[in-house]
Amino acid sequence: MMRNYYETVLGILILVVMAGPTLGQDANRGRRLEGSWNVVVTPRVCATGAPITTFQATYNYDKGGALSAVSAGTGSGGRGREQHGIWRHLSANNFRYRIRAYLFDAVGVATGYQILTHDLVMQDRDNYTSGGSSETFSLDGVPTASGCSTTIASREPEV
Amino acid sequence: MKNNLVSLLAVLFLSTATFAQEARLSPGGGQSRPHHNDLVGTWDARVSVRNCATGMEILSFLSTGNFNEGGTFSGITSGSSPTARTSERGVWEHLNGRNYRFRFKAYLYDPSGVATSYQVVTHNIRLSRDREDYTSEGISEVFSMAGAPIGTGCSTSVATRMTID
């Protein structure tokens, strides 16, 4: 009986050890998004997918899961040009990120904030596409608007 | 025979423990991290500018900051017009236990876009036990572009960690 017990535990441990390299590989794959990316953002009509406008942005996906970005987008009402947020690896080539931008009117008074959540797919080490939604809130946290957008990105070359 | 089995189990256990330590979830995946890195992440804060003498709140606004692995900090705020003040760049460090400190700098501009001064904010942070919230307090110092002190102020903040589903 004891021998059966030991054999069972041994079998379980062998399976766990064999799974170890796989876990390590997935962790390395999750870090492939790290770096600085040149992004083209296309806000779209959620119902039809029709593009509304496009603008450029640069996103930094930092080690540890932080994201910071700057955008050339203007939009109406003075869209925030700087964003901060987080990113995570979901599986294989799939990632998700969420960013926040503060919005200002024409005279520089803050009017609200926007939260953007996108699902991202890496086509290869140097290219990805993403799509998702945005939600706009007043400074008191009251929802005021929502939208959709997609992006196409290419990695900033190493110096 | 029994001793051989016990030895083999011990070796396998150690191997498993090593893999468990080295195999990390992807960044932002929420695994347990070393204590000194518990602050790492993105935080949404409400900042209260206060009268240094009385502690009374003068005004408050929202800010978002990234405490990055390696000790750098960057932040954005709704408290100033983007044309009047840049975003924030700085550093953070773990002091002890759940206590941290950060310092950042932002450049200030006049209405014609000329840089006039810079602001340095230094805060002490107390992280909550569940690592999902923190409170902070500290000072703000403004200097001319030549480094001469112009003014000081005080502020506190309450922050919540940004999460993703």
Side-chain angles (χ1 to χ4, degrees):
Chain A
M1 186 172 175
M2 281 300 287
R3 180 178 175 180
N4 287 339
Y5 171 77
Y6 279 122
E7 287 176 348
T8 302
V9 173
L10 194 61
I12 292 171
L13 283 174
I14 289 172
L15 286 172
V16 171
V17 169
M18 289 174 63
T22 303
L23 292 173
Q25 286 175 8
D26 200 52
N28 288 335
R29 179 175 282 179
R31 292 192 57 187
R32 292 187 307 150
L33 188 61
E34 291 175 12
S36 188
W37 294 77
N38 296 311
V39 183
V40 176
V41 183
T42 303
R44 296 182 182 274
V45 176
C46 292
T48 65
I52 299 171
T53 183
T54 66
F55 55 86
Q56 297 178 40
T58 299
Y59 284 28
N60 276 13
Y61 296 89
D62 297 322
K63 177 184 177 183
L67 190 162
S68 63
V70 290
S71 163
T74 52
S76 59
R79 294 301 181 203
R81 293 188 174 86
E82 295 209 47
Q83 301 98 39
H84 272 45
I86 53 177
W87 66 275
R88 63 178 287 188
H89 178 227
L90 300 177
S91 64
N93 296 323
N94 304 298
F95 299 79
R96 180 171 293 159
Y97 67 83
R98 175 169 291 158
I99 54 178
R100 174 186 284 227
Y102 292 104
L103 310 178
F104 300 84
D105 64 18
V107 297
V109 176
T111 59
Y113 59 90
Q114 184 179 60
I115 295 178
L116 189 86
T117 305
H118 266 218
D119 284 333
L120 179 159
V121 179
M122 289 188 75
Q123 281 70 51
D124 54 46
R125 181 188 177 276
D126 297 321
N127 298 279
Y128 77 68
T129 57
S130 77
S133 62
S134 69
E135 300 168 279
T136 304
F137 301 85
S138 71
L139 289 175
D140 294 329
V142 177
T144 58
S146 62
C148 300
S149 58
T150 59
T151 75
I152 298 174
S154 58
R155 184 184 292 278
E156 178 68 24
E158 294 178 3
V159 296
Chain B
M1 179 68 171
K2 179 179 176 179
N3 286 339
N4 287 340
L5 273 174
V6 170
S7 299
L8 185 56
L9 281 171
V11 169
L12 283 172
F13 177 77
L14 287 172
S15 301
T16 305
T18 301
F19 276 119
Q21 190 169 3
E22 291 179 351
R24 301 181 187 281
L25 291 175
S26 302
Q31 66 164 97
S32 177
R33 284 172 266 199
H35 188 60
H36 66 282
N37 263 351
D38 284 350
L39 188 62
V40 168
T42 299
W43 297 80
D44 292 317
R46 176 166 288 279
V47 180
S48 296
V49 177
R50 297 185 181 274
N51 181 303
C52 292
T54 65
M56 292 287 290
E57 181 180 282
I58 300 170
L59 61 93
S60 72
F61 51 83
L62 302 178
S63 293
T64 300
N66 284 2
F67 293 87
N68 301 312
E69 279 192 34
T72 61
F73 170 87
S74 65
I76 56 174
T77 183
S78 67
S80 302
S81 167
T83 59
R85 183 178 180 274
T86 66
S87 55
E88 304 143 356
R89 295 295 183 276
V91 293
W92 66 273
E93 64 175 359
H94 177 228
L95 300 177
N96 54 68
R98 290 183 281 123
N99 300 303
Y100 300 78
R101 179 174 294 155
F102 71 82
R103 174 172 294 151
F104 66 71
K105 177 183 284 193
Y107 293 97
L108 310 176
Y109 297 80
D110 67 17
S112 62
V114 176
T116 59
S117 53
Y118 60 89
Q119 179 189 37
V120 177
V121 173
T122 305
H123 265 219
N124 289 327
I125 286 177
R126 177 72 172 171
L127 188 63
S128 67
R129 289 188 186 278
D130 65 2
R131 305 184 305 171
E132 297 298 313
D133 303 276
Y134 75 68
T135 58
S136 76
E137 61 177 6
I139 63 171
S140 156
E141 303 167 282
V142 179
F143 301 86
S144 72
M145 293 307 293
I150 296 176
T152 60
C154 299
S155 57
T156 62
S157 78
V158 178
T160 300
R161 185 185 293 277
M162 183 184 290
T163 59
I164 192 168
D165 303 326

